[in-house]
Amino acid sequence: MTASEQKVAVVTGAAKGIGLASCERLAAAGFAVVMVDLDAGELQEAAAALTVAGHTVMVSAGDVSSFAGVQAQWAEILARFGRVDALVNNAGIAQPKALLEITEEEFDRTISINLKGYFNWCKAVAQTMIDQQYGRIVNISSVSANTGAAPSAVSKFAYCAAKAGVLGLTRGLAKELAPHVTVNAICPGSIMTALTEKLIMSNRAMIESSIPMGRIGTPLDVAVVVEFLITVEPSFITGEIIDVDGGQWVN
Ligand SMILES: NC(=O)c1ccc[n+]([C@@H]2O[C@H](COP(=O)([O-])OP(=O)(O)OC[C@H]3O[C@@H](n4cnc5c(N)ncnc54)[C@H](O)[C@@H]3O)[C@@H](O)[C@H]2O)c1
């Protein structure tokens, strides 16, 4: 197994939204991109567009919440490329139920995708990044990790809890994986994607008026910050949380 010259980025939740926009930016920046998603059909379609554009792409369908599944996906990725330079933990689900409505299973599922899924992928890639003495991990959290759920938000407390857990995971791993592997997080605000479109469209004027920059965010707004955290050289940034929310939560 020989490591290729091309840098490799693994992106979860890559079939659409912020994950897909991140893949597009990283591919354009010269990375081979491993696109991970639960939805194999959408994943193939999204990957085809990048392949047609001449980029190196590998698709890897699976559920981020399965530890064994992620280990098996990772073994295939390592066998193909022999290296990993960047991980973008992005796959996530909304959880619209409040405390009095949510079931135990729904709470567990929210945490197991939105938090444990991030652990699963960090655990998979960490040894290789440490051995390489190089790695960039970017975790997509949410502004609601810090603010709790706004009345207009798609998701309620369980999602906020998972996303706040992502911030703790980011800070803890930034220290554990230093000095050669950086771990940072991004907290998007209201970004127009499949996850949020219905709700944003039904409250658009109200949401826009709550954002100092006066507009809803796009996946590209987040993807350019993902690219920055992965490609900036030299980098002296780790354990950092960057809000990408148009000033919605100025703290
Ligand atoms: N859109 C927003 O306003 C917003 C705001 C804050 C944070 N976020 C976060 O950004 C990330 C991306 O969100 P998005 O808006 O692009 O969502 P999206 O729904 O457009 O895309 C999420 C992708 O994750 C995949 N996915 C879901 N569960 C999975 C699983 N178990 N295993 C593998 N893949 C799975 C889906 O198939 C989908 O392709 C999420 O973590 C979300 O919580 C989004």
Side-chain angles (χ1 to χ4, degrees), residues 170-179 183 238:
T170 299
R171 292 180 172 120
L173 290 184
K175 290 189 174 177
E176 273 188 36
L177 299 182
V183 188
T238 197

Side-chain angles (χ1 to χ4, degrees), residues 38-49:
L38 193 57
D39 191 324
E42 276 191 333
L43 193 55
Q44 289 294 351
E45 235 173 82

Side-chain angles (χ1 to χ4, degrees), residues 202-245:
S202 63
N203 288 296
R204 188 164 191 147
M206 191 270 287
I207 296 170
E208 280 175 346
S209 70
S210 74
I211 301 173
M213 288 183 75
R215 68 172 174 86
I216 306 296
T218 67
L220 183 60
D221 287 320
V222 183
V224 293
V225 183
V226 170
E227 182 189 0
F228 167 77
L229 288 170
I230 288 174
T231 59
V232 67
E233 294 291 350
S235 177
F236 200 42
I237 305 173
T238 197
E240 188 54 75
I241 316 294
I242 300 182
D243 297 329
V244 180
D245 64 356

Side-chain angles (χ1 to χ4, degrees), residues 93-129:
I93 55 164
Q95 180 45 262
K97 293 204 177 162
L99 181 62
L100 299 187
E101 288 89 48
I102 197 169
T103 65
E104 182 186 5
E105 290 71 28
E106 288 163 340
F107 181 82
D108 286 347
R109 183 84 183 131
T110 308
I111 301 295
S112 92
I113 294 172
N114 292 355
L115 177 57
K116 187 187 168 203
Y118 287 39
F119 153 75
N120 286 341
W121 274 101
C122 286
K123 178 89 173 157
V125 303
Q127 189 62 60
T128 301
M129 286 184 171

